[in-house]
Amino acid sequence: MRQIRRRLAVALAVVLLVLTGGCGPGTPEQITLTLATFGQFGYDDLIPGYEFTHPGLTINQVRTEQGGPYHQDLLAKLQSGQGLADVQAVEEGHLSDVLAQSGKFADLAKIGPPDVKPGRWLEWKYEAGRSKDGKLVGYGTDIGPLAMCYRKDLLDAVGLPTDPGSVKTMFATWESYFQAGERYVRRSHGKAWFDSAAQNFNAMVNQLPVGYLDRQDHPTLETNTAVRTAWDQVATAVKQGQSAGLTAFADDGNNGLRTGAFATKVCPSWMLGAIEQQAGVGNAGKWAITDAFPDGGGNWGGSYLTVPDSSPHQREAAALAAWLTAPEQQLHAFRVSGNFPSQVDAFTSPDLLSEMNSYFGGALSGQVFAAQARKVGKPQYKGPGDGKIQETVIAPALKAVEHGADAAAVWQQVLIGVHRVVP
């Protein structure tokens, strides 16, 4: 036993010597990289392996639990020019504010490893990480391809189909989706079809070729008839009683998941974990998911790794970001955290395609979301202030409609509010 302990001690000393670079001639340069992330990226047990294969390198991951405070801090540091990490994660909802300041970030196409090609990622994911002038500001991490989740028991109780083929037809377009919702409300004597008007409207707008802003960063709502059509569709559904009027991720929304307050929910890949956590074990097997989404594919969520221009070790930081966003590492992150990869090669991995979600009735969730991710078209341009429009103008406006306000009158207030965010 003592011999085994001595051998273990020697082995540990060797490992420590490699990790610290040892001493004397030929010692690698000692570099510390900071990696700033939020939530759970699934990198915790990847970092020691990267440090082991890069003697002299130490990675300090600084993780903020909530994305909101993280991005407020990021934007404040960009403004001051101080305190930025060597690698900064950016969520896609805040990416437009970062791309608008692309001069403060390195061009990863120039300083990143030469073997990292655009074809590593889905085309729309790669393109969304580029600034107007073509600079590659971010390497894509995960994505949030959209499917639709639904309560089989609630649909079955009112005579609506629950088999995959019929559900696909029912969810084929927003028109057919809201028509099914009207039937559900009527047959269930007033129960809600979906949880939140803002959730559905956000998904609908994200599918459009042009969203709230054009490429010159001018608001489009006065002339963008597609956005107004989506508004009218959602407002009509609200008037029919289809919305539960809840706030996603808040206490009332979580309680609605537990009590079956609504029958369908817009479902990016990461939403499965949120539903399971909040709906609880008592609802296991009642939820299902289909590889269909109204009017085609869509994406909600996902992030990028960027290298601020202030980093004194830009090439080393870019190499780390490239390694973390390689298919192998992103598949590991998927297994650990459920973050769905954006890398093309990952979509043929048996690990991903065989992923089965027992809470959702044994659905092959990896196959579902891989199919949905391939349906997403060109990325919609999102200028600075896009996320703020959604959060501070659109969401409160739709909440007012859910509380009984006239949708046409509220729309006029939306037009005023958008110009306050983006003059």
Side-chain angles (χ1 to χ4, degrees), residues 174 177-178 182 185 194 196-202 204-205 226-244 394 397-412 414:
W174 286 110
Y177 171 77
F178 288 126
E182 187 178 10
V185 172
F194 55 86
S196 160
Q199 296 270 288
N200 283 17
F201 184 75
N202 187 35
M204 296 167 79
V205 171
V227 173
R228 180 57 194 269
T229 297
W231 174 272
D232 290 340
Q233 284 182 291
V234 172
T236 298
V238 169
K239 191 174 182 179
Q240 293 169 345
Q242 294 190 37
S243 176
I394 298 296
L398 285 169
K399 185 63 70 176
V401 173
E402 288 174 326
H403 288 165
D406 179 71
V410 174
W411 178 256
Q412 296 305 313
V414 166

mmCIF file of all heavy atoms in Angstrom, residues 174 177-178 182 185 194 196-202 204-205 226-244 394 397-412 414:
data_model
loop_
_atom_site.group_PDB
_atom_site.id
_atom_site.type_symbol
_atom_site.label_atom_id
_atom_site.label_comp_id
_atom_site.label_asym_id
_atom_site.label_seq_id
_atom_site.Cartn_x
_atom_site.Cartn_y
_atom_site.Cartn_z
ATOM 1 N N TRP A 174 -48.885 29.459 -38.499
ATOM 2 C CA TRP A 174 -49.461 30.200 -37.380
ATOM 3 C C TRP A 174 -50.975 30.276 -37.510
ATOM 4 O O TRP A 174 -51.694 30.248 -36.506
ATOM 5 C CB TRP A 174 -48.848 31.586 -37.286
ATOM 6 C CG TRP A 174 -47.454 31.545 -36.748
ATOM 7 C CD1 TRP A 174 -46.301 31.793 -37.436
ATOM 8 C CD2 TRP A 174 -47.067 31.214 -35.405
ATOM 9 N NE1 TRP A 174 -45.211 31.632 -36.611
ATOM 10 C CE2 TRP A 174 -45.650 31.278 -35.352
ATOM 11 C CE3 TRP A 174 -47.763 30.862 -34.259
ATOM 12 C CZ2 TRP A 174 -44.939 31.011 -34.190
ATOM 13 C CZ3 TRP A 174 -47.055 30.596 -33.092
ATOM 14 C CH2 TRP A 174 -45.666 30.663 -33.061
ATOM 15 N N TYR A 177 -52.271 26.969 -36.312
ATOM 16 C CA TYR A 177 -52.015 26.874 -34.880
ATOM 17 C C TYR A 177 -53.064 27.649 -34.085
ATOM 18 O O TYR A 177 -53.633 27.132 -33.107
ATOM 19 C CB TYR A 177 -50.611 27.401 -34.578
ATOM 20 C CG TYR A 177 -50.301 27.543 -33.103
ATOM 21 C CD1 TYR A 177 -50.003 26.435 -32.317
ATOM 22 C CD2 TYR A 177 -50.314 28.804 -32.497
ATOM 23 C CE1 TYR A 177 -49.720 26.573 -30.967
ATOM 24 C CE2 TYR A 177 -50.031 28.945 -31.149
ATOM 25 C CZ TYR A 177 -49.736 27.834 -30.386
ATOM 26 O OH TYR A 177 -49.461 27.963 -29.053
ATOM 27 N N PHE A 178 -53.333 28.891 -34.497
ATOM 28 C CA PHE A 178 -54.318 29.692 -33.775
ATOM 29 C C PHE A 178 -55.742 29.181 -34.013
ATOM 30 O O PHE A 178 -56.605 29.310 -33.127
ATOM 31 C CB PHE A 178 -54.197 31.162 -34.162
ATOM 32 C CG PHE A 178 -52.963 31.837 -33.616
ATOM 33 C CD1 PHE A 178 -52.087 32.509 -34.464
ATOM 34 C CD2 PHE A 178 -52.680 31.798 -32.266
ATOM 35 C CE1 PHE A 178 -50.960 33.137 -33.965
ATOM 36 C CE2 PHE A 178 -51.540 32.411 -31.749
ATOM 37 C CZ PHE A 178 -50.682 33.086 -32.611
ATOM 38 N N GLU A 182 -58.314 28.164 -31.085
ATOM 39 C CA GLU A 182 -59.709 28.604 -30.950
ATOM 40 C C GLU A 182 -60.616 27.410 -30.630
ATOM 41 O O GLU A 182 -61.512 27.495 -29.781
ATOM 42 C CB GLU A 182 -60.153 29.299 -32.237
ATOM 43 C CG GLU A 182 -61.521 29.945 -32.146
ATOM 44 C CD GLU A 182 -61.901 30.672 -33.422
ATOM 45 O OE1 GLU A 182 -61.174 30.519 -34.442
ATOM 46 O OE2 GLU A 182 -62.912 31.387 -33.418
ATOM 47 N N VAL A 185 -59.995 26.302 -26.904
ATOM 48 C CA VAL A 185 -60.638 27.172 -25.921
ATOM 49 C C VAL A 185 -62.137 26.879 -25.864
ATOM 50 O O VAL A 185 -62.728 26.782 -24.777
ATOM 51 C CB VAL A 185 -60.382 28.653 -26.252
ATOM 52 C CG1 VAL A 185 -61.209 29.561 -25.346
ATOM 53 C CG2 VAL A 185 -58.905 28.985 -26.111
ATOM 54 N N PHE A 194 -52.068 28.751 -24.983
ATOM 55 C CA PHE A 194 -50.640 28.996 -24.785
ATOM 56 C C PHE A 194 -50.437 29.879 -23.560
ATOM 57 O O PHE A 194 -51.385 30.449 -23.006
ATOM 58 C CB PHE A 194 -49.983 29.615 -26.030
ATOM 59 C CG PHE A 194 -50.636 30.885 -26.520
ATOM 60 C CD1 PHE A 194 -50.291 32.129 -26.007
ATOM 61 C CD2 PHE A 194 -51.596 30.836 -27.530
ATOM 62 C CE1 PHE A 194 -50.884 33.286 -26.471
ATOM 63 C CE2 PHE A 194 -52.201 32.004 -28.012
ATOM 64 C CZ PHE A 194 -51.843 33.232 -27.477
ATOM 65 N N SER A 196 -48.188 32.701 -23.030
ATOM 66 C CA SER A 196 -47.852 34.124 -23.061
ATOM 67 C C SER A 196 -47.883 34.660 -24.484
ATOM 68 O O SER A 196 -47.275 34.075 -25.388
ATOM 69 C CB SER A 196 -46.452 34.325 -22.462
ATOM 70 O OG SER A 196 -45.885 35.538 -22.861
ATOM 71 N N ALA A 197 -48.562 35.787 -24.677
ATOM 72 C CA ALA A 197 -48.600 36.423 -25.994
ATOM 73 C C ALA A 197 -47.208 36.859 -26.433
ATOM 74 O O ALA A 197 -46.840 36.738 -27.605
ATOM 75 C CB ALA A 197 -49.550 37.620 -25.960
ATOM 76 N N ALA A 198 -46.418 37.381 -25.496
ATOM 77 C CA ALA A 198 -45.080 37.864 -25.839
ATOM 78 C C ALA A 198 -44.192 36.735 -26.335
ATOM 79 O O ALA A 198 -43.375 36.931 -27.242
ATOM 80 C CB ALA A 198 -44.444 38.546 -24.626
ATOM 81 N N GLN A 199 -44.322 35.542 -25.745
ATOM 82 C CA GLN A 199 -43.500 34.414 -26.170
ATOM 83 C C GLN A 199 -43.785 34.057 -27.634
ATOM 84 O O GLN A 199 -42.863 33.865 -28.430
ATOM 85 C CB GLN A 199 -43.788 33.206 -25.282
ATOM 86 C CG GLN A 199 -43.406 33.386 -23.833
ATOM 87 C CD GLN A 199 -41.990 32.968 -23.536
ATOM 88 O OE1 GLN A 199 -41.679 31.785 -23.528
ATOM 89 N NE2 GLN A 199 -41.124 33.914 -23.298
ATOM 90 N N ASN A 200 -45.056 33.978 -27.977
ATOM 91 C CA ASN A 200 -45.414 33.621 -29.345
ATOM 92 C C ASN A 200 -45.037 34.727 -30.324
ATOM 93 O O ASN A 200 -44.509 34.468 -31.415
ATOM 94 C CB ASN A 200 -46.913 33.329 -29.436
ATOM 95 C CG ASN A 200 -47.274 31.964 -28.885
ATOM 96 O OD1 ASN A 200 -46.489 31.361 -28.158
ATOM 97 N ND2 ASN A 200 -48.446 31.460 -29.208
ATOM 98 N N PHE A 201 -45.307 35.963 -29.959
ATOM 99 C CA PHE A 201 -45.006 37.077 -30.858
ATOM 100 C C PHE A 201 -43.505 37.177 -31.120
ATOM 101 O O PHE A 201 -43.080 37.416 -32.258
ATOM 102 C CB PHE A 201 -45.522 38.384 -30.245
ATOM 103 C CG PHE A 201 -45.352 39.580 -31.139
ATOM 104 C CD1 PHE A 201 -46.190 39.775 -32.234
ATOM 105 C CD2 PHE A 201 -44.362 40.519 -30.891
ATOM 106 C CE1 PHE A 201 -46.034 40.880 -33.063
ATOM 107 C CE2 PHE A 201 -44.192 41.621 -31.711
ATOM 108 C CZ PHE A 201 -45.036 41.806 -32.796
ATOM 109 N N ASN A 202 -42.700 36.987 -30.100
ATOM 110 C CA ASN A 202 -41.255 37.034 -30.270
ATOM 111 C C ASN A 202 -40.786 35.992 -31.273
ATOM 112 O O ASN A 202 -39.953 36.270 -32.146
ATOM 113 C CB ASN A 202 -40.575 36.818 -28.922
ATOM 114 C CG ASN A 202 -39.072 37.031 -28.977
ATOM 115 O OD1 ASN A 202 -38.590 37.888 -29.702
ATOM 116 N ND2 ASN A 202 -38.338 36.252 -28.204
ATOM 117 N N MET A 204 -42.586 34.625 -33.665
ATOM 118 C CA MET A 204 -43.111 34.978 -34.982
ATOM 119 C C MET A 204 -42.256 36.056 -35.653
ATOM 120 O O MET A 204 -41.914 35.958 -36.835
ATOM 121 C CB MET A 204 -44.557 35.456 -34.858
ATOM 122 C CG MET A 204 -45.512 34.381 -34.363
ATOM 123 S SD MET A 204 -47.123 35.021 -33.861
ATOM 124 C CE MET A 204 -47.906 35.238 -35.464
ATOM 125 N N VAL A 205 -41.890 37.077 -34.893
ATOM 126 C CA VAL A 205 -41.082 38.169 -35.451
ATOM 127 C C VAL A 205 -39.692 37.680 -35.835
ATOM 128 O O VAL A 205 -39.138 38.070 -36.867
ATOM 129 C CB VAL A 205 -40.997 39.341 -34.453
ATOM 130 C CG1 VAL A 205 -39.989 40.393 -34.924
ATOM 131 C CG2 VAL A 205 -42.374 39.986 -34.282
ATOM 132 N N ALA A 226 -45.465 42.765 -42.101
ATOM 133 C CA ALA A 226 -45.390 41.411 -41.557
ATOM 134 C C ALA A 226 -45.411 41.434 -40.031
ATOM 135 O O ALA A 226 -46.041 40.585 -39.391
ATOM 136 C CB ALA A 226 -44.135 40.703 -42.063
ATOM 137 N N VAL A 227 -44.719 42.413 -39.426
ATOM 138 C CA VAL A 227 -44.735 42.537 -37.971
ATOM 139 C C VAL A 227 -46.140 42.898 -37.495
ATOM 140 O O VAL A 227 -46.639 42.347 -36.513
ATOM 141 C CB VAL A 227 -43.709 43.589 -37.494
ATOM 142 C CG1 VAL A 227 -43.851 43.828 -35.995
ATOM 143 C CG2 VAL A 227 -42.290 43.135 -37.809
ATOM 144 N N ARG A 228 -46.794 43.816 -38.218
ATOM 145 C CA ARG A 228 -48.153 44.209 -37.829
ATOM 146 C C ARG A 228 -49.125 43.033 -37.987
ATOM 147 O O ARG A 228 -50.035 42.849 -37.160
ATOM 148 C CB ARG A 228 -48.634 45.392 -38.669
ATOM 149 C CG ARG A 228 -50.051 45.868 -38.332
ATOM 150 C CD ARG A 228 -50.172 46.246 -36.851
ATOM 151 N NE ARG A 228 -51.549 46.394 -36.415
ATOM 152 C CZ ARG A 228 -52.227 47.544 -36.450
ATOM 153 N NH1 ARG A 228 -51.654 48.651 -36.924
ATOM 154 N NH2 ARG A 228 -53.465 47.586 -36.011
ATOM 155 N N THR A 229 -48.933 42.219 -39.017
ATOM 156 C CA THR A 229 -49.785 41.038 -39.191
ATOM 157 C C THR A 229 -49.618 40.079 -38.020
ATOM 158 O O THR A 229 -50.610 39.534 -37.498
ATOM 159 C CB THR A 229 -49.444 40.320 -40.511
ATOM 160 O OG1 THR A 229 -49.733 41.195 -41.605
ATOM 161 C CG2 THR A 229 -50.255 39.044 -40.665
ATOM 162 N N ALA A 230 -48.369 39.863 -37.579
ATOM 163 C CA ALA A 230 -48.119 38.995 -36.426
ATOM 164 C C ALA A 230 -48.788 39.564 -35.182
ATOM 165 O O ALA A 230 -49.385 38.823 -34.384
ATOM 166 C CB ALA A 230 -46.620 38.822 -36.212
ATOM 167 N N TRP A 231 -48.698 40.881 -35.009
ATOM 168 C CA TRP A 231 -49.348 41.534 -33.870
ATOM 169 C C TRP A 231 -50.852 41.281 -33.882
ATOM 170 O O TRP A 231 -51.442 40.918 -32.856
ATOM 171 C CB TRP A 231 -49.057 43.032 -33.896
ATOM 172 C CG TRP A 231 -49.790 43.828 -32.857
ATOM 173 C CD1 TRP A 231 -51.043 44.375 -32.975
ATOM 174 C CD2 TRP A 231 -49.326 44.161 -31.550
ATOM 175 N NE1 TRP A 231 -51.390 45.037 -31.825
ATOM 176 C CE2 TRP A 231 -50.362 44.926 -30.930
ATOM 177 C CE3 TRP A 231 -48.160 43.908 -30.838
ATOM 178 C CZ2 TRP A 231 -50.232 45.423 -29.630
ATOM 179 C CZ3 TRP A 231 -48.031 44.397 -29.543
ATOM 180 C CH2 TRP A 231 -49.065 45.150 -28.962
ATOM 181 N N ASP A 232 -51.467 41.465 -35.032
ATOM 182 C CA ASP A 232 -52.919 41.280 -35.137
ATOM 183 C C ASP A 232 -53.322 39.827 -34.870
ATOM 184 O O ASP A 232 -54.346 39.568 -34.224
ATOM 185 C CB ASP A 232 -53.410 41.716 -36.525
ATOM 186 C CG ASP A 232 -53.325 43.222 -36.730
ATOM 187 O OD1 ASP A 232 -53.259 43.955 -35.718
ATOM 188 O OD2 ASP A 232 -53.331 43.673 -37.900
ATOM 189 N N GLN A 233 -52.505 38.874 -35.370
ATOM 190 C CA GLN A 233 -52.814 37.463 -35.127
ATOM 191 C C GLN A 233 -52.775 37.137 -33.635
ATOM 192 O O GLN A 233 -53.673 36.477 -33.103
ATOM 193 C CB GLN A 233 -51.828 36.565 -35.881
ATOM 194 C CG GLN A 233 -52.076 36.451 -37.374
ATOM 195 C CD GLN A 233 -51.079 35.501 -38.021
ATOM 196 O OE1 GLN A 233 -49.887 35.789 -38.112
ATOM 197 N NE2 GLN A 233 -51.567 34.360 -38.486
ATOM 198 N N VAL A 234 -51.722 37.601 -32.963
ATOM 199 C CA VAL A 234 -51.588 37.318 -31.538
ATOM 200 C C VAL A 234 -52.683 38.031 -30.749
ATOM 201 O O VAL A 234 -53.290 37.449 -29.832
ATOM 202 C CB VAL A 234 -50.193 37.737 -31.036
ATOM 203 C CG1 VAL A 234 -50.110 37.640 -29.518
ATOM 204 C CG2 VAL A 234 -49.112 36.855 -31.656
ATOM 205 N N ALA A 235 -52.959 39.286 -31.109
ATOM 206 C CA ALA A 235 -53.985 40.046 -30.395
ATOM 207 C C ALA A 235 -55.359 39.390 -30.539
ATOM 208 O O ALA A 235 -56.145 39.342 -29.578
ATOM 209 C CB ALA A 235 -54.021 41.479 -30.903
ATOM 210 N N THR A 236 -55.645 38.877 -31.727
ATOM 211 C CA THR A 236 -56.917 38.184 -31.945
ATOM 212 C C THR A 236 -56.998 36.933 -31.086
ATOM 213 O O THR A 236 -58.039 36.637 -30.478
ATOM 214 C CB THR A 236 -57.081 37.812 -33.430
ATOM 215 O OG1 THR A 236 -57.102 39.011 -34.208
ATOM 216 C CG2 THR A 236 -58.369 37.041 -33.665
ATOM 217 N N ALA A 237 -55.898 36.182 -31.028
ATOM 218 C CA ALA A 237 -55.868 34.975 -30.193
ATOM 219 C C ALA A 237 -56.085 35.325 -28.723
ATOM 220 O O ALA A 237 -56.790 34.610 -27.999
ATOM 221 C CB ALA A 237 -54.547 34.242 -30.389
ATOM 222 N N VAL A 238 -55.492 36.420 -28.283
ATOM 223 C CA VAL A 238 -55.685 36.857 -26.900
ATOM 224 C C VAL A 238 -57.153 37.175 -26.646
ATOM 225 O O VAL A 238 -57.732 36.774 -25.623
ATOM 226 C CB VAL A 238 -54.807 38.090 -26.595
ATOM 227 C CG1 VAL A 238 -55.198 38.708 -25.253
ATOM 228 C CG2 VAL A 238 -53.333 37.712 -26.592
ATOM 229 N N LYS A 239 -57.764 37.872 -27.577
ATOM 230 C CA LYS A 239 -59.178 38.241 -27.432
ATOM 231 C C LYS A 239 -60.070 37.004 -27.360
ATOM 232 O O LYS A 239 -61.109 37.006 -26.690
ATOM 233 C CB LYS A 239 -59.598 39.136 -28.591
ATOM 234 C CG LYS A 239 -60.959 39.791 -28.428
ATOM 235 C CD LYS A 239 -61.228 40.784 -29.549
ATOM 236 C CE LYS A 239 -62.581 41.463 -29.350
ATOM 237 N NZ LYS A 239 -62.840 42.462 -30.438
ATOM 238 N N GLN A 240 -59.651 35.935 -28.043
ATOM 239 C CA GLN A 240 -60.422 34.685 -28.031
ATOM 240 C C GLN A 240 -60.194 33.866 -26.766
ATOM 241 O O GLN A 240 -60.809 32.807 -26.586
ATOM 242 C CB GLN A 240 -60.046 33.838 -29.247
ATOM 243 C CG GLN A 240 -60.472 34.443 -30.573
ATOM 244 C CD GLN A 240 -59.861 33.718 -31.760
ATOM 245 O OE1 GLN A 240 -58.907 32.940 -31.608
ATOM 246 N NE2 GLN A 240 -60.400 33.965 -32.948
ATOM 247 N N GLY A 241 -59.298 34.324 -25.909
ATOM 248 C CA GLY A 241 -59.023 33.601 -24.663
ATOM 249 C C GLY A 241 -57.934 32.564 -24.774
ATOM 250 O O GLY A 241 -57.783 31.716 -23.880
ATOM 251 N N GLN A 242 -57.109 32.621 -25.853
ATOM 252 C CA GLN A 242 -56.099 31.584 -26.051
ATOM 253 C C GLN A 242 -54.880 31.754 -25.136
ATOM 254 O O GLN A 242 -54.164 30.793 -24.875
ATOM 255 C CB GLN A 242 -55.644 31.566 -27.510
ATOM 256 C CG GLN A 242 -56.728 31.156 -28.492
ATOM 257 C CD GLN A 242 -56.182 30.925 -29.889
ATOM 258 O OE1 GLN A 242 -55.075 30.406 -30.056
ATOM 259 N NE2 GLN A 242 -56.938 31.300 -30.905
ATOM 260 N N SER A 243 -54.620 32.972 -24.671
ATOM 261 C CA SER A 243 -53.450 33.205 -23.830
ATOM 262 C C SER A 243 -53.801 33.082 -22.353
ATOM 263 O O SER A 243 -54.831 33.588 -21.901
ATOM 264 C CB SER A 243 -52.869 34.596 -24.090
ATOM 265 O OG SER A 243 -51.792 34.854 -23.204
ATOM 266 N N ALA A 244 -52.917 32.434 -21.616
ATOM 267 C CA ALA A 244 -53.081 32.357 -20.163
ATOM 268 C C ALA A 244 -52.626 33.644 -19.486
ATOM 269 O O ALA A 244 -52.847 33.828 -18.287
ATOM 270 C CB ALA A 244 -52.297 31.167 -19.611
ATOM 271 N N ILE A 394 -42.350 45.830 -26.412
ATOM 272 C CA ILE A 394 -43.292 44.824 -26.919
ATOM 273 C C ILE A 394 -43.910 44.007 -25.788
ATOM 274 O O ILE A 394 -45.139 43.850 -25.711
ATOM 275 C CB ILE A 394 -42.595 43.901 -27.930
ATOM 276 C CG1 ILE A 394 -42.107 44.697 -29.153
ATOM 277 C CG2 ILE A 394 -43.544 42.782 -28.354
ATOM 278 C CD1 ILE A 394 -43.196 45.324 -29.980
ATOM 279 N N ALA A 397 -46.419 45.875 -23.728
ATOM 280 C CA ALA A 397 -47.587 46.199 -24.551
ATOM 281 C C ALA A 397 -48.511 44.998 -24.694
ATOM 282 O O ALA A 397 -49.742 45.116 -24.576
ATOM 283 C CB ALA A 397 -47.135 46.692 -25.924
ATOM 284 N N LEU A 398 -47.934 43.827 -24.941
ATOM 285 C CA LEU A 398 -48.764 42.624 -25.067
ATOM 286 C C LEU A 398 -49.370 42.223 -23.724
ATOM 287 O O LEU A 398 -50.474 41.674 -23.672
ATOM 288 C CB LEU A 398 -47.933 41.479 -25.660
ATOM 289 C CG LEU A 398 -47.672 41.605 -27.163
ATOM 290 C CD1 LEU A 398 -46.635 40.597 -27.619
ATOM 291 C CD2 LEU A 398 -48.965 41.433 -27.948
ATOM 292 N N LYS A 399 -48.679 42.509 -22.640
ATOM 293 C CA LYS A 399 -49.253 42.258 -21.323
ATOM 294 C C LYS A 399 -50.490 43.139 -21.116
ATOM 295 O O LYS A 399 -51.501 42.684 -20.544
ATOM 296 C CB LYS A 399 -48.213 42.524 -20.235
ATOM 297 C CG LYS A 399 -48.670 42.190 -18.824
ATOM 298 C CD LYS A 399 -48.965 40.716 -18.647
ATOM 299 C CE LYS A 399 -47.706 39.891 -18.690
ATOM 300 N NZ LYS A 399 -47.971 38.453 -18.433
ATOM 301 N N ALA A 400 -50.430 44.386 -21.606
ATOM 302 C CA ALA A 400 -51.590 45.271 -21.505
ATOM 303 C C ALA A 400 -52.760 44.727 -22.315
ATOM 304 O O ALA A 400 -53.917 44.786 -21.881
ATOM 305 C CB ALA A 400 -51.208 46.673 -21.979
ATOM 306 N N VAL A 401 -52.474 44.176 -23.499
ATOM 307 C CA VAL A 401 -53.531 43.579 -24.322
ATOM 308 C C VAL A 401 -54.145 42.390 -23.597
ATOM 309 O O VAL A 401 -55.367 42.193 -23.597
ATOM 310 C CB VAL A 401 -52.975 43.163 -25.705
ATOM 311 C CG1 VAL A 401 -54.015 42.382 -26.503
ATOM 312 C CG2 VAL A 401 -52.521 44.393 -26.484
ATOM 313 N N GLU A 402 -53.297 41.578 -22.962
ATOM 314 C CA GLU A 402 -53.803 40.434 -22.196
ATOM 315 C C GLU A 402 -54.687 40.879 -21.033
ATOM 316 O O GLU A 402 -55.576 40.141 -20.603
ATOM 317 C CB GLU A 402 -52.628 39.587 -21.684
ATOM 318 C CG GLU A 402 -51.931 38.810 -22.791
ATOM 319 C CD GLU A 402 -50.687 38.093 -22.320
ATOM 320 O OE1 GLU A 402 -49.979 38.618 -21.421
ATOM 321 O OE2 GLU A 402 -50.406 37.006 -22.847
ATOM 322 N N HIS A 403 -54.449 42.092 -20.553
ATOM 323 C CA HIS A 403 -55.266 42.626 -19.452
ATOM 324 C C HIS A 403 -56.501 43.369 -19.944
ATOM 325 O O HIS A 403 -57.200 43.994 -19.138
ATOM 326 C CB HIS A 403 -54.422 43.535 -18.567
ATOM 327 C CG HIS A 403 -53.427 42.802 -17.735
ATOM 328 N ND1 HIS A 403 -52.365 43.421 -17.092
ATOM 329 C CD2 HIS A 403 -53.307 41.473 -17.436
ATOM 330 C CE1 HIS A 403 -51.654 42.517 -16.436
ATOM 331 N NE2 HIS A 403 -52.210 41.325 -16.634
ATOM 332 N N GLY A 404 -56.742 43.337 -21.267
ATOM 333 C CA GLY A 404 -57.974 43.898 -21.786
ATOM 334 C C GLY A 404 -57.853 45.180 -22.565
ATOM 335 O O GLY A 404 -58.873 45.708 -23.062
ATOM 336 N N ALA A 405 -56.640 45.732 -22.716
ATOM 337 C CA ALA A 405 -56.473 46.975 -23.472
ATOM 338 C C ALA A 405 -56.736 46.744 -24.954
ATOM 339 O O ALA A 405 -56.538 45.631 -25.470
ATOM 340 C CB ALA A 405 -55.063 47.533 -23.268
ATOM 341 N N ASP A 406 -57.183 47.787 -25.641
ATOM 342 C CA ASP A 406 -57.466 47.706 -27.071
ATOM 343 C C ASP A 406 -56.156 47.537 -27.842
ATOM 344 O O ASP A 406 -55.238 48.364 -27.726
ATOM 345 C CB ASP A 406 -58.192 48.961 -27.538
ATOM 346 C CG ASP A 406 -58.481 48.934 -29.036
ATOM 347 O OD1 ASP A 406 -59.341 48.144 -29.461
ATOM 348 O OD2 ASP A 406 -57.808 49.690 -29.772
ATOM 349 N N ALA A 407 -56.062 46.467 -28.645
ATOM 350 C CA ALA A 407 -54.806 46.135 -29.323
ATOM 351 C C ALA A 407 -54.385 47.218 -30.318
ATOM 352 O O ALA A 407 -53.191 47.513 -30.448
ATOM 353 C CB ALA A 407 -54.931 44.795 -30.031
ATOM 354 N N ALA A 408 -55.335 47.806 -31.039
ATOM 355 C CA ALA A 408 -55.002 48.845 -32.024
ATOM 356 C C ALA A 408 -54.440 50.082 -31.336
ATOM 357 O O ALA A 408 -53.470 50.697 -31.810
ATOM 358 C CB ALA A 408 -56.234 49.186 -32.854
ATOM 359 N N ALA A 409 -55.044 50.458 -30.207
ATOM 360 C CA ALA A 409 -54.553 51.615 -29.469
ATOM 361 C C ALA A 409 -53.176 51.350 -28.875
ATOM 362 O O ALA A 409 -52.294 52.219 -28.889
ATOM 363 C CB ALA A 409 -55.543 51.988 -28.368
ATOM 364 N N VAL A 410 -52.984 50.145 -28.365
ATOM 365 C CA VAL A 410 -51.683 49.792 -27.787
ATOM 366 C C VAL A 410 -50.606 49.795 -28.869
ATOM 367 O O VAL A 410 -49.463 50.196 -28.625
ATOM 368 C CB VAL A 410 -51.758 48.416 -27.094
ATOM 369 C CG1 VAL A 410 -50.372 47.972 -26.632
ATOM 370 C CG2 VAL A 410 -52.693 48.474 -25.895
ATOM 371 N N TRP A 411 -50.956 49.356 -30.088
ATOM 372 C CA TRP A 411 -49.985 49.367 -31.189
ATOM 373 C C TRP A 411 -49.452 50.778 -31.434
ATOM 374 O O TRP A 411 -48.254 50.948 -31.700
ATOM 375 C CB TRP A 411 -50.608 48.798 -32.456
ATOM 376 C CG TRP A 411 -49.682 48.826 -33.633
ATOM 377 C CD1 TRP A 411 -49.713 49.687 -34.694
ATOM 378 C CD2 TRP A 411 -48.558 47.966 -33.872
ATOM 379 N NE1 TRP A 411 -48.688 49.428 -35.566
ATOM 380 C CE2 TRP A 411 -47.970 48.372 -35.095
ATOM 381 C CE3 TRP A 411 -48.007 46.889 -33.174
ATOM 382 C CZ2 TRP A 411 -46.853 47.740 -35.622
ATOM 383 C CZ3 TRP A 411 -46.884 46.258 -33.703
ATOM 384 C CH2 TRP A 411 -46.320 46.686 -34.910
ATOM 385 N N GLN A 412 -50.290 51.765 -31.346
ATOM 386 C CA GLN A 412 -49.840 53.149 -31.538
ATOM 387 C C GLN A 412 -48.838 53.546 -30.459
ATOM 388 O O GLN A 412 -47.876 54.270 -30.715
ATOM 389 C CB GLN A 412 -51.042 54.099 -31.530
ATOM 390 C CG GLN A 412 -52.022 53.880 -32.681
ATOM 391 C CD GLN A 412 -51.348 53.936 -34.043
ATOM 392 O OE1 GLN A 412 -50.561 54.838 -34.330
ATOM 393 N NE2 GLN A 412 -51.648 52.947 -34.885
ATOM 394 N N VAL A 414 -46.876 51.392 -29.053
ATOM 395 C CA VAL A 414 -45.666 50.641 -29.407
ATOM 396 C C VAL A 414 -44.808 51.450 -30.373
ATOM 397 O O VAL A 414 -43.580 51.544 -30.216
ATOM 398 C CB VAL A 414 -46.036 49.275 -30.029
ATOM 399 C CG1 VAL A 414 -44.820 48.645 -30.707
ATOM 400 C CG2 VAL A 414 -46.579 48.332 -28.967
#
